[in-house]
Amino acid sequence: MRGHIYKDLYLIRNKTIYSIIMSVFTIIFGFVIYLLPRTVPDMDGIPMPSVSSLVLMLDILIIINASVLCNEVIKTDKERVWGYYGVALPGSEKSVVAAKYMTVFILYFITFLITELLGVIVGLFANELVNWSMPVLYIIMFGVLLRAVEMPLAIRFGADKANGIRILMTTVIVLIIGIYLGFGNIEWLMGENGILKNLIAAIEEDQNVIETAKNEISGILAKMTYWSIILSSLFPHVVVILYYISYRVSCKVYKKGVTRADA
């Protein structure tokens, strides 16, 4: 399987280099945004982003880069000749599928390590505690969940169709959230003591908006019931189980994907 993983990484080597360069420039640009108002006297009046908000922004951009790479992994060896190679040897199809799943998981794992390291380095540099571990982990695990749905579809019907289905799923999720925000009970967000009102008050009083948001979210988490805490803590474990089930499904449909008409 190591050979298949190396093959997948080799096929996306140019995109990987591009992604690394983009991530490095993103981090450099973020530091420029953070340092410029603090070092140039003529820019004293410009609002300065907090260290915590800067790290969160960089983390999200790094995760987006990783997601692009994962898309490229799914699209590799989509030609029929690679598919026939995958089924030519006994058990080889499982190795081909497992390599893709492992490569995607490794990329997300490395992304999580990079975001953690970035938070530690920036925190030491600014002499401030910066910790976005849990939000970043949940964002990454949500990405893994989307891949768990997308990859069997990509193997069976092709990467382009699977990508369209993933976009459709994301749109439906956003639509559901939008409907809830529009018609559900959102007293916690829009009420007199809701998050939005407190954030507006923080902006008007020239307070740290990011810290205010973190305090509001921490207050909501503190009020969560035990069942809510248990369910939220189980989410990463459930995603890993679904990822494995997705792998088993992909193994079952691999040969049908190789022989499909549009391959």
Side-chain angles (χ1 to χ4, degrees), residues 1-260:
M1 188 175 68
R2 286 183 296 179
H4 291 301
I5 293 176
Y6 173 77
K7 179 261 296 177
D8 284 337
L9 293 175
Y10 179 79
L11 291 176
I12 65 168
R13 63 191 184 280
N14 293 331
K15 295 291 180 63
T16 302
I17 294 173
Y18 174 78
S19 180
I20 292 173
I21 293 174
M22 287 298 297
S23 296
V24 171
F25 273 101
T26 298
I27 293 173
I28 293 174
F29 182 70
F31 274 101
V32 170
I33 292 176
Y34 174 74
L35 292 174
L36 196 60
R38 291 169 170 81
T39 55
V40 179
D42 294 338
M43 302 182 68
D44 286 340
I46 296 179
M48 296 181 292
S50 66
V51 174
S52 187
S53 61
L54 172 66
V55 171
L56 179 60
M57 178 188 70
L58 295 177
D59 287 347
I60 292 174
L61 292 176
I62 291 172
I63 293 172
I64 292 173
N65 276 334
S67 297
V68 172
L69 280 182
C70 291
N71 282 338
E72 295 301 320
V73 172
I74 296 174
K75 292 178 182 178
T76 57
D77 59 30
K78 62 182 179 180
E79 290 82 6
R80 180 171 290 180
V81 61
W82 284 107
Y84 285 152
Y85 164 75
V87 297
L89 301 175
S92 179
E93 60 196 62
K94 291 185 178 180
S95 298
V96 172
V97 175
K100 286 190 177 297
Y101 276 77
M102 186 62 68
T103 303
V104 169
F105 201 85
I106 289 172
L107 288 174
Y108 275 122
F109 179 72
I110 292 175
T111 301
F112 181 72
L113 292 181
I114 291 173
T115 57
E116 287 294 287
L117 183 61
L118 178 64
V120 171
I121 293 175
V122 174
L124 291 174
F125 177 79
N127 195 25
E128 181 179 327
L129 178 62
V130 179
N131 185 10
W132 291 104
S133 299
M134 291 307 295
V136 167
L137 176 62
Y138 276 81
I139 293 172
I140 288 177
M141 295 310 294
F142 182 74
V144 173
L145 178 61
L146 288 179
R147 305 300 167 193
V149 176
E150 178 183 7
M151 291 177 74
L153 297 172
I155 290 173
R156 175 61 182 88
F157 301 107
D160 294 334
K161 292 182 180 178
N163 187 52
I165 294 173
R166 176 174 55 83
I167 294 173
L168 178 62
M169 284 181 53
T170 305
T171 304
V172 170
I173 292 173
V174 172
L175 182 61
I176 292 173
I177 294 174
I179 293 173
Y180 170 73
L181 293 176
F183 303 99
N185 183 5
I186 53 173
E187 188 70 19
W188 57 274
L189 179 64
M190 303 290 292
E192 190 63 30
N193 294 318
I195 295 177
L196 186 60
K197 289 290 183 66
N198 291 333
L199 289 178
I200 294 174
I203 294 173
E204 292 175 348
E205 296 173 9
D206 199 23
Q207 297 177 357
N208 191 320
V209 178
I210 298 297
E211 290 300 321
T212 302
K214 288 177 64 176
N215 293 335
E216 292 293 327
I217 294 173
S218 298
I220 292 175
L221 294 177
K223 297 177 182 177
M224 288 177 65
T225 63
Y226 288 116
W227 280 111
S228 300
I229 295 173
I230 292 172
L231 291 175
S232 62
S233 63
L234 285 176
F235 176 70
H237 306 285
V238 173
V239 170
V240 173
I241 294 173
L242 293 176
Y243 197 67
Y244 175 74
I245 294 174
S246 172
Y247 157 71
R248 300 294 297 181
V249 172
S250 294
C251 290
K252 293 290 185 181
V253 302
Y254 183 78
K255 288 184 179 179
K256 292 183 179 179
V258 171
T259 57
R260 70 182 188 273

